[in-house]
Amino acid sequence: MGRSKEFDRREALLRAIEVFSEHGYEGTSTETLLRAMGIGRQSLYDTFGDKWNLYLEAVQHYTADSIGDQIRVLNAARCPIDGLKTHLYEAAEKAIADPRPSCLGISAICEFGCTSPELNMLSKTAALTLLSALERRLSEAKADGTVAKDVDVQEAANFIKATLAGIKVAARAGASPENLRGIARMAVRALA
């Protein structure tokens, strides 16, 4: 009779996300993962396959949660421009509140670029999902007159997406809270 797993799979995955976010794939040893996750080597292989499959699952889980949270913020405000503003301001505040700011999605892109088909697919899917939500709110804001009629919705959505990534990278690089808030303020002003 086989031994039952003695750990919470989801909790172990969340711990792996933290480690990969901090150190990247190549910078994370299997031993570091095992210690952080509180599991043995065989449990890693039995449950996740190997380090690469664990990494893919971590990126997928992190990205799905992150995009879902961002879309909830965008849609929480009745007024579309308020949803867009809140999204940008909240991104800055979230980065400020994190004592060790990191983003597994951006980390994966920086580490692998487009070289991994699996990661590339995850990244593109997440980007398209976020862009679609941003474009929808921007179109609504154009329709109600809170965003200028000459603003190109696709360009503006890509600008906001790049700004959100920039906030995360700047936070990771040690930008001050005021600098991060300033990035968000300038993006909001660009929409007016």
Side-chain angles (χ1 to χ4, degrees), residues 80-131:
I81 194 67
D82 289 344
L84 292 160
K85 288 178 181 179
T86 300
H87 188 205
L88 286 158
Y89 292 141
E90 192 169 288
E93 293 306 320
K94 189 173 181 179
I96 290 165
D98 191 342
R100 292 185 343 227
S102 58
C103 173
L104 184 55
I106 290 174
S107 174
I109 291 168
C110 291
E111 187 169 359
F112 291 97
C114 295
T115 61
S116 164
E118 300 103 334
L119 287 174
N120 198 32
M121 183 191 69
L122 289 171
S123 177
K124 282 185 176 185
T125 300
L128 290 172
T129 302
L130 180 59
L131 282 172

